[in-house]
Amino acid sequence: MNPAAKRMLLVSSMLTLAATNAEAALVTNVLGPYSWHTDSANFTVLSPNGGVVGSGANDVIMIWDGSAYNSSTDYTGPGSTANITLSTTTPFFSYAWTAHDVQMFAPGTYSFDTTLGGGTAESAMLSVTVGTGQLGMHMLWDWNGNFNVDVFIVFSQNSIFGSGLLFSAEPSCSSNFTGTITQNCLDDSPGYGTDGAPTTNQLWMLASTDPDGDGVMGVPNALGGPTESYNYSINANLTASPIPIPAAAWLFGSGLMGLAGVAHRKKKTT
């Protein structure tokens, strides 16, 4: 092997080991060595009957570092480690909402104790399976004086959300429709991020799906909360940014290469 390539391989191995030791339950570079972001993620809420509730948002700012947890033990309630931020200026039923302690999860089965949040009378465990090729996201949601509502979303990659139909174009999409409700429509309410309004049958890089097979996109929220049995969905087309190597890592790598160089010269002299 070329000596320079050998030294770079050594540096790479050491950096990977350091990252693994720092966060044992974290899988890095899930979709490549990138972080991801958008200001146009979609927020859709469906009632248990599959109809759209209230008004969603299409200006959700989503920033993800590209890693994923593979153990729900990293969630310990408010103040847990997090690797995603979500924010919007669009209210839900006239009240602002915020999401925090947001974690992306790799394929696997996860259980969350909903009583750990405190402040909201949720009960029991929230258990979800994230299938092969999917990603999961757990967050705590604050709205209208209700705090730390547990929400879990399972994403399929490069998929259409639900029926592919838009809430504004189909009156039967509403949860209050008196006839047969068209389930799983996408809420296309304003405001909009830079991507503008969603379109019919839009393909999403990450599209919320129906992991429990009840016919409604999303995972029903835990019993006892303010949105008990309602289904929350985030859909997003994300843009990639290369993950920069921290300055400390470059210095660490330079030191390793320097030691490798000294060893090589010493061996050559011998």
Side-chain angles (χ1 to χ4, degrees):
M1 179 184 291
N2 180 283
K6 187 175 183 179
R7 290 195 295 272
M8 287 304 296
L9 179 60
L10 176 62
V11 172
S12 176
S13 299
M14 291 298 291
L15 292 178
T16 301
L17 179 60
T20 302
N21 288 340
E23 185 59 79
L26 196 68
V27 179
T28 58
N29 301 339
V30 172
L31 301 177
Y34 308 106
S35 59
W36 302 88
H37 64 275
T38 183
D39 68 351
S40 303
N42 165 268
F43 173 64
T44 294
V45 179
L46 301 176
S47 73
N49 65 19
V52 176
V53 177
S55 59
N58 288 283
D59 63 349
V60 178
I61 298 172
M62 179 176 180
I63 302 173
W64 172 37
D65 69 4
S67 63
Y69 295 93
N70 58 18
S71 172
S72 48
T73 58
D74 281 298
Y75 172 72
T76 55
S80 302
T81 58
N83 62 344
I84 303 175
T85 60
L86 297 171
S87 62
T88 180
T89 59
T90 301
F92 180 65
F93 280 108
S94 302
Y95 294 96
W97 62 266
T98 59
H100 55 96
D101 296 278
V102 190
Q103 300 174 317
M104 190 72 87
F105 286 88
T109 298
Y110 304 95
S111 294
F112 301 89
D113 183 352
T114 62
T115 65
L116 290 177
T120 298
E122 294 178 301
S123 61
M125 302 293 289
L126 179 62
S127 298
V128 186
T129 295
V130 180
T132 302
Q134 296 180 327
L135 291 169
M137 186 170 72
H138 178 262
M139 62 182 176
L140 296 179
W141 193 73
D142 298 346
W143 171 76
N144 190 22
N146 298 283
F147 301 102
N148 305 325
V149 178
D150 286 81
V151 175
F152 199 96
I153 298 165
V154 176
F155 297 112
S156 288
Q157 298 180 41
N158 302 314
S159 299
I160 294 171
F161 174 77
S163 65
L165 299 177
L166 299 178
F167 174 50
S168 65
E170 300 287 341
S172 63
C173 288
S174 172
S175 63
N176 295 322
F177 188 68
T178 56
T180 301
I181 292 174
T182 300
Q183 294 185 319
N184 303 318
C185 296
L186 184 80
D187 195 319
D188 57 335
S189 305
Y192 306 122
T194 55
D195 289 348
T199 59
T200 302
N201 293 321
Q202 178 162 335
L203 191 68
W204 298 94
M205 175 186 169
L206 297 178
S208 177
T209 189
D210 175 24
D212 61 352
D214 66 354
V216 179
M217 296 295 106
V219 177
N221 285 356
L223 300 179
T227 53
E228 176 182 317
S229 300
Y230 280 66
N231 300 260
Y232 287 32
S233 290
I234 296 286
N235 303 282
N237 285 323
L238 302 170
T239 300
S241 298
I243 298 176
I245 297 179
W250 277 116
L251 291 173
F252 179 60
S254 299
L256 286 177
M257 288 192 291
L259 290 173
V262 170
H264 177 71
R265 289 193 297 272
K266 183 177 180 181
K267 180 177 180 180
K268 186 175 180 180
T269 301
T270 303

